[in-house]
Amino acid sequence: PIRGFYYITILKQCLNLKKKHRGVDVRFAGIVLLQQNSAKKRSQKKSYEKKIIMSLVTTAHKLNSILKKSNFIFSTLFVLIFFFVLFIHLSQEIRDLDLWLHIKTGEYIVTNKNIPMSDIYSFSRPDEPWINHEWPFQVITYLIHRHYGFNGLIVLQNAVFLTVFFLIFAMGYRKRNYLMLVTGLFILLLASSYRFTIRPDMFSVLFLVLFVFILRQKREHLFILPLLQIIWTNMHGFFFLGLFIL
């Protein structure tokens, strides 16, 4: 019935067209009207398809925006979890027995205002020559212990190793590889946690990472390296690693 009604409507339009333009064949008029209606339907179909495509593009754009936001939230949360776990590992009781020697030597240096050149502790071999290549660390640990106690020393340990891992994270961070990077940092944490002690070599780790970080920056920052090398040479015996990197 619908199709019949459609053809009746077309026929009426043909008759009206014939009356309006005398001499026009009804069959020709019908063909023209059918073509017009067909073109109109195609135009409506294209318009409808265009609306659907635009709707799909808008929806995809919104989903992409939501995924980006969720990805940023997830990556930020993952990074925060890592640094929290690192902080927990670093905030443990002092286990290194050499620390007491360093604190006492630092006290001697501050009190006497000179660096001992011979052994000041040995009973069996007094005045044995001693090249104390860690004296800045000893002064730092003594002053922190005197003013802030053992908690201050733990804070020092936290500050050094958190800086080390943050610099490594900053050098390796890319938006697309944060998951792999943080996973690698977790592995590094598990592999090196036994060395999280208050020793002079923790500054060697810090200076090593600082050297690499500065060398990756602009040349204007290279003037810092000689100053760091001087401090490193007096801080720990691994100072030659700085020269090796250069």
Side-chain angles (χ1 to χ4, degrees):
I2 297 174
R3 183 174 294 181
F5 177 77
Y6 172 72
Y7 286 119
I8 290 171
T9 304
I10 294 295
L11 183 58
K12 287 181 178 180
Q13 292 177 354
C14 290
L15 293 173
N16 292 332
L17 184 63
K18 184 178 180 181
K19 291 178 181 180
K20 186 175 180 181
H21 304 280
R22 292 183 180 181
V24 176
D25 189 358
V26 175
R27 290 175 297 177
F28 175 73
I31 293 172
V32 172
L33 288 172
L34 286 172
Q35 289 178 348
Q36 290 177 351
N37 287 335
S38 178
K40 185 177 180 181
K41 283 186 176 181
R42 286 197 301 268
S43 177
Q44 290 176 348
K45 185 178 180 181
K46 288 182 179 180
S47 178
Y48 181 69
E49 290 176 350
K50 186 177 180 181
K51 289 181 180 179
I52 292 176
I53 293 173
M54 291 300 296
S55 177
L56 290 174
V57 170
T58 304
T59 304
H61 180 71
K62 290 181 179 179
L63 287 174
N64 187 41
S65 179
I66 293 172
L67 288 174
K68 283 184 178 180
K69 290 180 180 179
S70 62
N71 187 41
F72 174 76
I73 294 172
F74 177 75
S75 61
T76 303
L77 182 61
F78 198 34
V79 171
L80 290 176
I81 289 174
F82 166 75
F83 280 100
F84 176 75
V85 173
L86 176 61
F87 175 77
I88 296 299
H89 271 271
L90 293 172
S91 301
Q92 299 180 7
E93 63 181 7
I94 298 173
R95 302 187 304 271
D96 188 74
L97 300 179
D98 291 344
L99 178 62
W100 318 119
L101 170 66
H102 294 304
I103 292 176
K104 189 63 180 178
T105 305
E107 179 185 15
Y108 176 89
I109 295 172
V110 173
T111 302
N112 296 278
K113 295 181 176 55
N114 72 298
I115 302 171
M117 304 301 294
S118 59
D119 193 343
I120 57 176
Y121 302 112
S122 177
F123 173 77
S124 58
R125 302 184 65 180
D127 299 326
E128 182 75 13
W130 179 23
I131 301 175
N132 187 5
H133 53 78
E134 300 167 347
W135 67 269
F137 172 79
Q138 295 165 349
V139 172
I140 291 171
T141 52
Y142 166 69
L143 293 176
I144 291 177
H145 177 261
R146 187 176 72 176
H147 293 287
Y148 304 104
F150 296 111
N151 290 332
L153 294 174
I154 294 175
V155 170
L156 172 65
Q157 177 180 255
N158 273 272
V160 171
F161 284 107
L162 283 172
T163 302
V164 167
F165 277 88
F166 178 78
L167 290 175
I168 296 174
F169 174 79
M171 287 188 289
Y173 176 75
R174 300 291 183 276
K175 289 184 178 180
R176 295 181 180 180
N177 73 337
Y178 73 90
L179 185 60
M180 184 182 299
L181 173 61
V182 178
T183 302
L185 289 176
F186 266 112
I187 296 174
L188 180 61
L189 168 62
L190 295 175
S192 60
S193 59
Y194 75 100
R195 296 298 298 177
F196 290 166
T197 56
I198 307 173
R199 297 177 57 88
D201 54 346
M202 72 179 185
F203 281 97
S204 281
V205 177
L206 175 61
F207 288 128
L208 178 65
V209 176
L210 274 174
F211 261 62
V212 177
F213 181 79
I214 293 172
L215 288 172
R216 289 168 59 94
Q217 305 304 311
K218 295 181 179 180
R219 293 185 177 181
E220 289 77 4
H221 302 147
L222 295 180
F223 72 93
I224 304 175
L225 293 180
L227 177 61
L228 290 178
Q229 186 64 59
I230 292 173
I231 299 173
W232 192 357
T233 302
N234 289 276
M235 188 74 74
H236 189 248
F238 285 169
F239 64 89
F240 64 89
L241 292 177
L243 301 174
F244 178 76
I245 292 173
L246 294 176

